[in-house]
Amino acid sequence: MGKSTDHAQAIDRELDWLSQRIEWRFAVHFRGEPTAAPAPPKLIHPDAAYTGAVRRLEASLRETARRSDLGEKLTDHRLLIALALCPHLRPAALDIFFTKNELFDRGFTEFGGLTSGQHGGFLPSGETAAFLLAGTDTAKRLAVTEYLREDGVLSQRNLLRLQAVQRPEPALSGALLLSDEALTRLTTDRPFAPTYSTQFPAEPLHTSLTWDDMVLSAQLQEEIGDLCLWINHEGTILGEWDLKWLLKPGYRALFYGPPGTGKTLCASLLGKEVDRPVYRIDLSQVVSKYIGETEKNLSALFAMAEHRDWILFFDEADALFGKRSPARHAQDRYANQETSYLLQRIEGYAGMVILATNQIRNLDEAFTRRFQSIIHFPVPDVEQRISLWEKAFGDKLPLGEDVDFAALGKTYELTGGSIVNILRYCSMLAFRRSEPCIHQRDIVYAIRREYRKEGKTI
């Protein structure tokens, strides 16, 4: 039996249980039948995405709930997730909530719920959840309200939330909404990958290269290894070693050095090594000239990334993390507020944040003091440059007998990024003359072109 089949069966069992609970609540509410509520099904598919979500939810509840209350709270939270999922996978199961009150010729107020112009079914609200879990029990209804608070486990774990409503409408009249991440995971059994938007101005970093394609000094390898070690063993260090009282979760690293020295590639390979998504933040979409908008954009960005195992990569970070200036004008004060707010959000992020800059001197010292690692990516030395030439050109294209990588490495001070640009142009030269062979003169010509682009001369 495949993993997708196990996942579908796990969901089916949960929605079957939801249907039984709905029937039971109607029987109790309208006929007063004093029967026990149907118990939740056992989780029989340990590898199913739904099972994993419940296990993580149980672990979160265990941190706050008393042991005597844990079972009841987990059951309630599972029911809320199933109720929010039901319109997407089994909408007909909620048709019973269209039952009319014959006395007033309208729906029952206690059912709550909404309808949509495009969806013909019943959309549950917080009121629907309160009716299903509590009926007319006021104390239990208050508990449901607590479950659906923004600081509740369901919202903090980014599973579901209660849609905000305008006053004077009751808070529970808002729709019960699964997060995009939970909906993707529970309906497709695939990891959630957000699309680029104004709310999340970031794109995933991918690379087909490996660490073998990079040329790193022994010191640089050790420092990058420290990042991998923390990501892989943070749970043990903070949890099993009980150091969370002293050490904050998450990790903040600064990569600095000239362009083309491998900062972005290293971030990509780090994510590949530890199997974590890496998102490069588009600072042009984050920074705004309008007061308060930068903080708003940052808040949305970190809210999206919270409770996910994402690595956030801020390239050219000095554009946003620059030095604070004396507050001589109102604009200076707002700029400093942006910097302070960003510092606060980065320190509060429980994942890994990597900042990259070409000029470390442009960064505010308040930031640099808070980095766990500050890693320098220098211009490669002679031996490293020779290795970069050999790795870049390799054996992919025929090379003329006059090509001398040792001489190139000794003569020209270039970064790995520049050498890749040179390879691209040499390939174009070979194609232009219909000769799939690269000669030393081609490489030197391409080097001069690269130097002119950077405002240098040979």
Side-chain angles (χ1 to χ4, degrees), residues 121-365:
F122 181 91
L123 299 175
S125 64
E127 195 67 57
T128 314
F131 170 75
L132 187 58
L133 270 68
T136 58
D137 184 338
T138 301
K140 185 70 173 181
R141 285 178 62 88
L142 292 175
V144 174
T145 303
E146 288 294 312
Y147 297 159
L148 297 176
R149 283 168 53 97
E150 287 189 2
D151 57 356
V153 170
L154 289 168
S155 180
Q156 292 296 310
R157 293 298 306 174
N158 199 39
L159 287 168
L160 64 80
R161 64 181 176 85
L162 193 61
Q163 186 181 42
V165 295
Q166 297 292 328
R167 287 183 178 275
E169 295 182 5
L172 288 180
S173 62
L176 198 64
L177 302 174
L178 285 171
S179 69
D180 291 339
E181 179 182 18
L183 184 60
T184 300
R185 175 69 77 173
L186 296 179
T187 57
T188 68
D189 195 20
R190 290 198 302 267
F192 171 68
T195 55
Y196 184 95
S197 67
T198 54
Q199 286 73 39
F200 190 71
E203 293 180 321
L205 284 179
H206 301 292
T207 180
S208 59
L209 301 179
T210 68
W211 289 114
D212 292 337
D213 296 306
M214 289 202 73
V215 177
L216 303 174
S217 66
Q219 179 180 345
L220 199 51
Q221 290 180 35
E222 181 181 347
E223 291 176 320
I224 297 300
D226 289 342
L227 304 187
C228 294
L229 189 147
W230 177 263
I231 292 175
N232 288 327
H233 302 288
E234 177 183 6
T236 299
I237 294 170
L238 297 183
E240 295 180 23
W241 293 5
D242 196 25
L243 291 177
K244 59 179 176 290
W245 65 276
L246 184 61
L247 302 178
K248 289 183 177 180
Y251 202 96
R252 286 150 290 280
L254 173 66
F255 292 175
Y256 76 97
T261 49
K263 300 183 293 294
T264 301
L265 176 58
C266 196
S268 303
L269 289 172
L270 176 65
K272 193 174 181 179
E273 173 80 14
V274 298
D275 195 25
R276 300 278 180 91
V278 181
Y279 284 94
R280 175 163 52 186
I281 312 303
D282 184 354
L283 291 179
S284 68
Q285 294 296 317
V286 173
V287 179
S288 174
K289 63 181 180 180
Y290 297 106
I291 294 173
E293 282 299 306
T294 299
E295 291 93 328
K296 180 181 176 181
N297 295 339
L298 285 167
S299 179
L301 171 68
F302 279 99
M304 176 74 79
E306 208 67 55
H307 303 295
R308 295 179 170 96
D309 293 330
W310 293 348
I311 298 172
L312 299 182
F313 180 70
F314 291 84
D315 200 5
E316 299 181 3
D318 42 327
L320 188 56
F321 298 76
K323 290 183 179 180
R324 285 174 281 193
S325 57
R328 297 189 180 93
H329 306 287
Q331 193 64 35
D332 296 332
R333 289 198 303 273
Y334 289 123
N336 291 343
Q337 287 176 12
E338 290 177 358
T339 304
S340 299
Y341 178 79
L342 185 55
L343 177 61
Q344 172 192 342
R345 291 310 302 254
I346 283 183
E347 285 203 292
Y349 182 60
M352 176 161 286
V353 177
I354 299 174
L355 275 63
T357 179
N358 300 334
Q359 298 291 334
I360 191 173
R361 290 173 296 180
N362 294 342
L363 287 185
D364 194 301
E365 292 182 2

Side-chain angles (χ1 to χ4, degrees), residues 29-44:
H29 187 71
F30 291 108
R31 299 191 294 275
E33 299 177 5
T35 56
K42 292 183 179 180
L43 302 172
I44 62 174

